Amino acid sequence: MSALPAHLPPADWRGREGLDALCTALGADAGEARFVGGAVRDSLLGIPVKDVDIATVHPPQDVIRRIKAAGFKAVPTGIAHGTVTAVLHHWPVEITTLRRDVSTDGRRATVAFATDWREDAARRDFTMNALYADPRGGTLHDYFGGLDDLAARRVRFIGDPAARIAEDHLRILRFFRFTARFGALDRGSADYAACVVHAASLMALSRERIADELLTLLALPDPSEVLAAMVEDGVLRPVLPEVTLAGVAALRALLTAEREAGCAPDGLRRLAALLPDKTGAEQIGARLRLSNKARARLNAMRAPVEAATPEALAYRLGTQGAIDRILLGRAFTVEAIGRIRDWPVPQMPLSGGDLIAMGLSAGPQVAKALQALERAWVAAGFPPADATRAMAAQMIVSLLRATQ
Ligand code: ATP
Ligand code: MG
């Protein structure tokens, strides 16, 4: 009944330089290492694979030794959790020792290394994320019905949803993310119901983890259906109570604009669309512990800015900032993006020093005159240096006259 391939199908990533040698070093021929997670899932769906994860029976120190013996760099990226990154020709592969949970508290897990594949599979979140494939023959190992669920686009917890959410609350957001990415949204499923009932437990998570997961969800091609369900069923309330269905409608408008303009999805821009005008970007940036750069961008997307032309907007906010605002419906129409996308934002050709050299005496009037000149320069459509100099000369003459 499953319409998926019976073996891991050939895919670009399998031919990446060094991968074969790494698999050999990890004992793949003896069944000691398997591909797992997103790489297996996405290959089965025939979509591009981002990162490759390998699970292995060998303990981390042994993994490090084997990676080095094969001539690759080994970075202990998450050694406490059993993860070592092998760097193959600038391309990282994460290798994790089989594990089982010893204790969990909703935020972090204490793990023990194990040698049982089924046990390792059991602590993963969804059945479609617990598929393993032998690197050699591509034989699939599916302990919890993940292939059928993947074929049916069903995001299903392994085991009891409420118990799995209690172990790690982030799985609520991961459920919505994978549903938006692969799933058919089924608001009647037991998995969905558990996520809704336990949504308040999200508050126990660190803001950074929530923000990361939310922004990843928002950056998917079309998260709007899942977002609407999350708003209607109160899942976002503990995190972003200000988001309403009006915000989801604004998100849909943004998706249309992005498509029309051929702009790639962007999580932060979509967050900006979801928030009502009256909500301060500062407040959200602080709550989600966004980076300073992200906060500045969110702010620029929402603060009032006046600009008479798309070019003037790009001059004020930079190309990215101007495109953000246009896509968000806050300035001009989508066609304007074509005008500024590859337009080299010019630099004001004159400085305060130039004005002084042209006869203006040093002092506070220089900054004022320079600002006035910049406004005139923008309004005149960014003329080149000569023409700007002429504008400045005229301005200085009238300033000098006024002070005589
Ligand atoms: P993506 O394409 O988004 O990277 P992925 O399936 O590779 O998808 P990752 O977040 O990279 O997802 O995690 C790799 C694997 O680790 C998952 O497929 C899943 O098996 C397991 N995993 C990750 N996070 C959790 C979690 N919170 N609880 C249980 N298992 C998890
Ligand atoms: Mg991954």
Side-chain angles (χ1 to χ4, degrees), residues 182-196:
F182 304 111
L185 177 63
D186 175 8
R187 291 168 78 175
S189 76
D191 301 86
Y192 184 90
C195 289
V196 169

Side-chain angles (χ1 to χ4, degrees), residues 271-393:
L271 177 64
L274 279 177
L275 298 169
D277 283 346
K278 62 179 189 304
T279 306
E282 292 297 341
Q283 187 191 335
I284 298 295
R287 193 190 310 153
L288 295 180
R289 310 265 197 278
L290 299 180
S291 68
N292 288 340
K293 198 172 153 212
R295 286 184 203 200
R297 189 167 158 227
L298 195 60
N299 225 355
M301 287 194 257
R302 299 171 54 82
V305 176
E306 280 189 29
T309 62
E311 288 81 3
L313 190 63
Y315 180 72
R316 284 284 300 278
L317 299 177
T319 308
Q320 170 74 72
I323 292 178
D324 283 340
R325 288 186 73 91
I326 295 170
L327 289 171
L328 285 163
R330 288 168 176 263
F332 311 107
T333 56
V334 171
E335 292 73 48
I337 291 175
R339 272 172 59 177
I340 56 169
R341 185 177 265 145
D342 299 315
W343 180 66
V345 177
Q347 273 194 350
M348 172 74 173
L350 297 191
S351 66
D354 293 320
L355 299 190
I356 293 170
M358 291 170 76
L360 201 61
S361 41
Q365 68 272 23
V366 176
K368 270 173 110 175
L370 192 64
Q371 278 170 12
L373 180 65
E374 186 182 37
R375 276 196 300 274
W377 176 71
V378 172
F382 312 95
D386 290 358
T388 309
R389 199 169 280 279
M391 283 166 66

